[in-house]
């Protein structure tokens, strides 16, 4: 540290904590409150796979005949599961 | 099948287009056939940053409306092999990007390209949603500044709920954090959010830190993506970023304050 810094530091002491710390604290609060990332629960892809396995025990369905959608309305989420069952004749075979 | 990558941020002016241009150039330099697509209909700028603004004849909206085919609209870069630009329309509005039209165009591009880099407009309106919707991966461009970080958090929420992958309940969009305009001296003075703070707040793995650099303005003035400016700090940081994206191990650089010389140490400055 240079000797001139001695005088500069005296001035700098006033803002010892730095504004970055303030920015971080404010952001942490706002990000937690706004919950920008209410993610789709990550168990859904594996649940989709398992549901499909159960259905396949009884009927033959392809991957693309199953449609899973998660929709969000206000505070609650709706899980929509759509499975197209094969025709009567196909099922008999 | 191409990988679709969206470059997004929510907030404007943080470096989405600069990042898109250098990222696309970097991927092409590594031998991957790459196209950079401008989704900012009405306010196109990717052509300007890539230096091909005078070669635009047809655009993305012309392709969607069937007024031109893709080959007519794609502009081949003159400096780098394997690199193309699909410009946005300057005269239409963003609603011209229909979901079906975008899907069809991306599907067609997928057949001949390895990477499709989508330059998102700022905001969370239709154009931005379209740029994000079909993405497999996302580069979240963030400045070390409160409004930018908050907007990035919002964008992450939209990626997690409104993208195709979210709606069809597939593996979620893979997110990468890109911090731009980073000034290590100010971070060490406690005046700027540090990269660790931003990573902690957003909870997204870091892909690269681009230092605040004179080279960025110089290169956009010239229409040369900054990654092509040899020896520039920002350019090297983008080269590293691309290498990391492709799976190479690269240490992060340009993160520490420049060491002061003898004179400056003694007399300040």
């Amino acid at each position: 540290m240079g000797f001139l810094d001695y005088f500069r530091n005296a001035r700098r002491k006033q803002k010892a904590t730095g504004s970055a710390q303030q920015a971080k604290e404010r952001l942490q609060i706002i990000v937690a409150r706004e919950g920008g990332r209410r993610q789709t629960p990550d168990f859904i892809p594996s649940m989709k796979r398992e549901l499909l396995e159960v259905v396949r025990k009884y009927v033959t369905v392809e991957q693309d005949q199953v449609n899973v959608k998660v929709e969000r309305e206000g505070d609650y989420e709706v899980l929509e599961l759509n499975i197209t069952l094969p025709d009567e004749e196909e099922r008999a075979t | 099948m191409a990988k679709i990558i969206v470059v997004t941020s929510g907030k404007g002016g943080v470096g989405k287009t600069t990042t898109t241009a250098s990222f696309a150039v970097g991927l092409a330099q590594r031998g991957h056939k790459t196209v950079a697509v401008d989704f900012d209909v009405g306010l196109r700028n990717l052509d300007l940053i890539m230096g091909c603004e005078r070669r635009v004849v047809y655009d993305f909206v012309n392709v969607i409306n069937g007024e031109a085919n893709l080959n007519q609209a794609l502009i081949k870069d003159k400096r780098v092999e394997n690199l193309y630009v699909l410009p946005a329309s300057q005269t239409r509005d963003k609603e011209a990007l229909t979901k079906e039209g975008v899907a069809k165009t991306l599907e067609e591009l997928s057949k001949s390209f390895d990477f499709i880099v989508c330059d998102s407009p700022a905001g969370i309106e239709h154009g931005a949603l379209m740029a994000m919707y079909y993405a497999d991966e996302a580069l979240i461009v963030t400045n070390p500044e409160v409004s930018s970080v908050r907007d990035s958090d919002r964008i992450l929420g939209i990626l997690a709920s409104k993208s195709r992958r979210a709606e069809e309940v597939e593996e979620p969009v893979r997110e990468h954090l890109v911090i731009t305009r980073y000034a290590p001296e100010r971070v060490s003075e406690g005046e700027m959010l540090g990269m660790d703070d931003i990573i902690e707040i957003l909870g997204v793995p870091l892909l690269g830190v681009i230092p605040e650099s004179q080279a960025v303005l110089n290169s956009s003035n010239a229409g040369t993506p900054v990654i092509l400016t040899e020896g520039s700090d920002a350019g090297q940081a983008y080269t590293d970023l691309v290498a990391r994206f492709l799976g190479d191990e690269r240490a992060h650089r340009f993160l520490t304050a420049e060491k002061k010389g003898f004179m400056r140490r003694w007399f300040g400055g």
Side-chain angles (χ1 to χ4, degrees), chain B residues 2-6 106 110 114-118 131 134-138:
Chain B
K3 192 166 267 179
I4 303 175
I5 303 138
V6 62
L106 292 180
S110 273
D114 301 322
F115 290 106
I116 303 172
V117 185
C118 304
Y134 294 100
D136 300 309
E137 309 206 14

Side-chain angles (χ1 to χ4, degrees), chain B residues 177-215:
Chain B
L177 181 62
V178 177
I179 300 175
T180 54
R181 308 200 66 165
Y182 197 69
E185 317 81 55
R186 306 202 66 186
V187 173
S188 67
E189 296 278 327
E191 294 176 349
M192 182 182 267
L193 282 166
M195 51 179 256
D196 296 324
D197 295 339
I198 301 173
I199 296 166
E200 186 189 328
I201 291 163
L202 293 177
V204 173
L206 181 71
L207 184 63
V209 181
I210 312 301
E212 169 82 66
S213 167
Q214 308 244 342

Side-chain angles (χ1 to χ4, degrees), chain A residues 20 28 34 36-37 44 68 72, chain B residues 150 157 161 169 175 190 200 202:
Chain A
Q28 279 173 325
E34 289 175 351
R37 342 184 33 185
I44 295 225
V68 188
R72 205 163 276 122
Chain B
R150 181 202 219 173
S161 62
V169 206
E175 301 150 346
E200 186 189 328
L202 293 177

